[in-house]
């Protein structure tokens, strides 16, 4: 029983992070305010509000040069990470992308959270790390492709 549970232990985390990042990416893509360059709810307003309190204000300044393009890149990145995580396709790479997005958001938008555990981006960063290390060994395209490669290897070399 314990061995079975440990094989499936990362599946709930994978589902949660995958669904959350797909939702976040789709939400940004469909929110007309987010991708506009101005007004409440826009990325521009968020960047202006976070600039003075961010640990890495240089990242915010970089994004302020083209907030629409940067917002689109974040949304598409979240969508790609979420889909890759749900499918388990290039799972470690997807998890690394999710960790990098979470790390960036922690250093910019979530940094002023006090106490630190009120900022959810740090928790997301930590949640991605087991998937970076372990990948998606169960119910994944990666596992299916690895099994296919092993079968072909046996036929060729066996």
């Amino acid at each position: 029983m314990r061995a079975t549970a440990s094989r499936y232990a990362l599946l709930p985390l994978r589902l949660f992070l995958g669904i959350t990042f797909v939702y976040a990416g789709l939400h940004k893509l469909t929110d007309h305010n987010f991708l506009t360059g101005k007004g409440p709810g826009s990325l521009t307003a968020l960047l202006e509000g976070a600039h003075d309190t961010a640990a890495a204000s240089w990242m915010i300044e970089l994004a302020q040069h083209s907030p629409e393009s940067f917002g689109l890149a974040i949304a598409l990145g979240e969508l790609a990470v979420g889909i890759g995580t749900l499918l388990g396709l290039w799972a470690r790479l997807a998890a690394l992308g999710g960790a990098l997005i979470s790390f960036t958001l922690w250093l910019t938008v979530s940094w002023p959270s006090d106490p630190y555990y009120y900022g959810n981006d740090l928790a997301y960063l930590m949640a991605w790390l087991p998937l970076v290390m372990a990948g998606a060994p169960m119910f994944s395209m990666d596992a299916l492709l690895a099994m296919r490669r092993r079968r072909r290897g046996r036929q060729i070399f066996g």
Side-chain angles (χ1 to χ4, degrees), residues 11-92:
L11 193 56
L13 186 60
R14 224 178 93 202
L15 291 171
F16 170 74
L17 290 171
I19 290 168
T20 300
F21 269 58
V22 166
Y23 176 77
L26 289 175
H27 184 260
K28 287 175 180 68
L29 288 173
T30 58
D31 181 0
H32 69 278
N33 289 330
F34 181 78
L35 291 176
T36 63
K38 56 190 177 245
S42 69
L43 181 59
T44 301
L46 179 66
L47 294 171
E48 287 170 0
H51 182 270
D52 293 338
T53 57
S57 57
W58 64 270
M59 287 183 181
I60 291 179
E61 291 165 7
L62 184 65
Q64 286 175 323
H65 290 294
S66 181
E68 296 90 352
S69 299
F70 191 77
L72 185 61
I74 288 175
L76 293 175
E78 287 174 338
L79 197 55
V81 162
I83 290 170
T85 301
L86 286 174
L87 294 177
L89 182 61
W90 298 335
R92 285 189 170 115

